[in-house]
Amino acid sequence: MSSDPYLAVAATWEIPYAHTQVTPESFFSTDNTSESVFDPDHRSLVDDNDIRDGGKYRSIVKLQMRYEGQQPGDKSYAMGTGWLIAPDLLVTAGHNVFDWSGYGRGLGKAVDIKAYIGYHGRSSINSPIVQFRSGKVVVTNAQWVVDRNNRHADVAFVKLDKPFTGNLRLFTYKSTPESGDDMIGVVGYPADKTLEDADGREEKGALMWEQFTSTTYVLDSAKNKGRGMLKYRISTFGGQSGAPVIRKGSKQAVIGTHVYGGGDKNSASVIGPLGNDYEGMLKVFDGNLPPWGEHQGIKLVKYGYSTTSPGVSPTTQPDPRTGYTSAPAPGPIDAEGFFDDLKKVAKFVQGNVGPAAPIYLQPFLGGVHGAIAHAILGVINQATESAWTDVNAVLQGTLERGILAEAALQSILKLEDNPITRKILQEMSSIWSTHYRSINFDPIICRLGPALPLTANKILSSTEYTQTTATGEVKLKTVPFAATSNGPATNGQQAELFGLFPGISIGIELGKFLVDTIKNRAESYRAEGWFDDLGKVIVRAVEREPLYQLTKKIVEHVSESSFSTQSLSQADREAAILVAKRAVFGETALQALSKLSSSELQQITMAVTEGQGHEESFGDFLGGLVRDIGGVVSQVAPVVVGTAFPFPLRVAGAAESGGMLGVPAQPLRKKSSSSVLDLIHGDGLSNGLLQTRISA
């Protein structure tokens, strides 16, 4: 057994640059593999038909990589090989994406990856045979990133910017047998083989070569920390790293990834129980595993549970609801950045944005816009998955989750300062740092910006939704939830709610807590409508995945549009970003609450306002917010979305007709106990306090 703390931990990062041109670059190899070619050399050139559409090697990928450690003036690219297991996902060597060559740390992580299929020399770039893509997200073993001697962990996966198309003949992979006597081969782009182009230049690694030979093997585990390496006497050279090791006679199943040359045999990293957990690492691309730590700026994620050696406590415990593991301690967080953004959003929630702010930043509309912004992001995502024509259908669940997320955010900002509250803020910060810190909001606001004044106009144009108080303050009316074709939730759906766990994204304890609160309130006030309306929100909201799982797809989709932020004024652009961030913080609030136990939820207390007379319970406060904003949101959102969609979200004249609303910011009443708002606007919560692990 192993006590390696990095076992079942992945290292992952995003690649910021995507190529729009496919010109091949000059190459270098990070491998010292000159002795890997055996005499006689039995490699043979792959037939051109095998790399064409439908060919047996169509899914073998030519790779070119640049690294963060290269000098700015160094324009060369390393070369490697990969193999497709999905149209937009390839397997390759770990040292192709994180380089340890030379002394010290080497060149570090890859920051630019080019991928080609059908490649057969520079002159083939414009051939219909060749397709080009860019790497976008990398997942590799943390063991490889932290220690160059972990050769058994030398494997990586690369998500591409878009899928390759056509008959790809994708590879399948099998767990590497502990021993065998098979016909196996390595197919890739070796750099010792060259091709002379029309200009007389020789290109290294221009063509695909293969060699198959009958091989008897026993995985070499003793020399590799108990993890196997598959060894074979097949000639390879630099540039073939990451190539598939194929076993013939099994529909070309891959049983290893070629990584090393040297000595009397070359070797591959192993797949399965005796090597690398491909299925576990692939979970990381889903984006729903908790952060585990960080290594030199690279995010680490725990994707599986492993038993440690005797006397060593497990680093994690499996979550029985999901099978995933929770981190032993909170991952690294950017507390300062989190609180900078949270302060801005908190002022927005309080209404302290000034009388000259755009209409949708005013306090009585803020909650509506936060919920609708959250829903719009979900709608954009759904539009990337399939065509839709019915507005109510596309909003179902998405809209309810937005309402619940907005209520969660407002509720947390009203909490009393205590250990449980700080635990919630710590979890929010961790979620924000992991999933939202680096989001470019520009593509999102291209869609969101024009919808906001449209929402405000819809509400203000009807006295059904607003009322003016004696002091001139404009407030929302509490209106009934919009009727839907499926009707409201019923008591029977309470059982359905619990039946959804553990597959839903909001924790079972939070779901039970909210349902119980609603039921008690309905009984106390003889208001059965409370359970119907709020129960509907919960049941539908929990069926939707967290916003952070949608973010990448949303940004990628809307980035492809020609719609530009130049069509928005600077004030509208900044306001739209603030609304989008409000939606994001609402989701982090909802997710943070879902981490709490039943006992912790019961102990949450609201900050008491001087002269209030009684302390309102957290559940009642959150439920009241859902009721107060949910009715308006449920009635207005379908009209707004139905008018604004399909893309682009642009309604002529909406921005111009919105105007401004000179509603003065409302002063805060004095508190008799400290609240979250006091903390984030003052000095009550420091970075050090947030980093402290708090147990309730």
Side-chain angles (χ1 to χ4, degrees), residues 22 35 108 149 206 210 273 404 488 644 648 654 656:
V22 298
E35 66 273 24
N149 294 314
E210 66 177 335
L404 195 58
E656 292 78 6

Side-chain angles (χ1 to χ4, degrees), residues 552-620:
K552 290 180 183 178
K553 290 185 283 186
I554 293 170
V555 173
E556 288 173 0
H557 176 77
V558 299
S559 294
E560 295 174 358
S561 170
S562 60
F563 192 91
S564 170
T565 56
Q566 294 177 356
S567 60
L568 299 174
S569 69
Q570 183 64 21
D572 282 341
R573 180 183 180 280
E574 292 176 356
I577 290 176
L578 188 56
V579 174
K581 288 184 176 181
R582 180 168 182 158
V584 165
F585 275 105
E587 180 64 37
T588 64
L590 188 56
Q591 287 293 305
L593 288 174
S594 74
K595 303 287 186 179
L596 300 182
S597 67
S598 175
S599 174
E600 289 170 328
L601 288 166
Q602 295 292 339
Q603 294 177 58
I604 294 178
T605 54
M606 309 300 296
V608 179
T609 301
E610 191 174 72
Q612 182 174 316
H614 69 282
E615 178 184 329
E616 188 173 16
S617 74
F618 165 68
D620 280 350

